[in-house]
Amino acid sequence: MAGMAMADELGDSSYKQVQGLTRGLAVLRALTASANGRAQISDISAATKLHRTTVRRLLETLGVEGFVERSGDDGAFQLTQEIKRLADNFSVFDNVAAAAADVLRDLTAEVTWPCSLATPYEHMMEIRAATHHLSPLSFHRGVIGRRLPMLLTSMGRAYLAFSSNVVRERTLDLIAARYELGEVPLMSLSTFRQILARTQEAGYGSNFGDWTADKKVAAIAVPVRGERNTVVACVNVVAITRATKPQQLAAKYLEPLRAAAKRIEKAL
């Protein structure tokens, strides 16, 4: 079993393709490309180069699974909302995380320190990609999925500083509400707004032992922008407070970090 899993993971060409799945996906693509997401069996057969009987069997299977349905008017098959639900589950945040993997690997090879990419999750930033397992200087493991407070971390500060005013204010309202419920640590919001102003002026977010839960962390972060210049993620370089000084972080790592963010943006 382990051998099969490894062959599959590495894309071993000897691993047999599941022909039925490939043909089913071809039928779905043909329907997606057709007008209004619906077509006759003959049209799908022509588009996929599959025999009409094969197309019918595939459509009936997809119908049982809820992905297609047959119209009562002309007998054409059409996509259902189930397909849209599958697509909706793959968000822009998944897309940016996938685009970041190779870029982060290259960034760590250049700067040696580990780096991460995080996306917003309510009042937190959730780490979606990281190279802590690749860096010889890493002091963390298993960071994927970890949620970081926006107010106290470099990526959270970068996200809020460079997001739109509407996003920033709504997120701060959410943080304040969570604070009132005793769910989040909160410095004075007026103090935090001063930090955001300095972050905007500097062009990057920073954290030098500010988060009590991880006081040895020193980090800088920059935003990653998607469509309409919206901030969809932030990427950072993480060092140790005792190994560096605040002014050294930007001097050494800001330009490689910005270049990495631009590469991720181009890949989106």
Side-chain angles (χ1 to χ4, degrees), residues 158 161-162 197-205 221-223 254 258:
F162 301 109
R198 292 197 296 269
T199 299
Q200 291 167 337
E201 182 178 358
Y204 63 92
V222 296
L254 183 57
R258 284 176 169 163

Side-chain angles (χ1 to χ4, degrees), residues 20-133:
L21 177 59
T22 299
R23 289 175 172 177
L25 291 172
V27 167
L28 288 176
R29 290 193 184 99
L31 276 172
T32 302
S34 63
N36 300 316
R38 63 194 308 275
Q40 299 285 346
I41 288 177
S42 57
D43 298 326
I44 299 172
S45 176
T48 61
K49 304 296 190 294
L50 296 173
H51 193 276
R52 290 175 57 140
T53 303
T54 301
V55 171
R56 178 181 290 277
R57 287 202 305 267
L58 291 168
L59 287 168
E60 289 175 351
T61 301
L62 290 167
V64 170
E65 295 299 325
F67 296 117
V68 302
E69 61 187 6
R70 194 166 191 174
S71 170
D73 298 330
D74 58 4
F77 285 84
Q78 60 191 22
L79 298 172
T80 67
Q81 290 296 317
E82 188 65 26
I83 288 291
K84 292 183 178 180
R85 278 191 285 272
L86 284 177
D88 287 344
N89 285 335
F90 189 83
S91 68
V92 63
F93 300 140
D94 297 300
N95 196 20
V96 71
D102 289 341
V103 178
L104 295 186
R105 188 178 298 109
D106 292 344
L107 179 59
T108 286
E110 180 177 357
V111 305
T112 309
W113 289 105
C115 51
S116 307
L117 177 137
T119 58
Y121 182 89
E122 295 183 354
H123 61 291
M124 310 284 279
M125 296 296 289
E126 180 176 349
I127 297 179
R128 305 293 301 276
T131 60
H132 288 264
H133 62 297

Side-chain angles (χ1 to χ4, degrees), residues 114 116 127 130-135 137-144 146 148 211 213-218 238-240:
S116 307
I127 297 179
T131 60
H132 288 264
H133 62 297
L134 298 175
S135 170
L137 303 180
S138 176
F139 45 92
H140 287 137
R141 289 294 187 271
V143 299
I144 302 298
R146 189 181 187 191
L148 315 175
W211 185 20
D214 214 343
K215 291 189 70 65
K216 63 184 176 182
V217 166
V238 183
I240 304 175

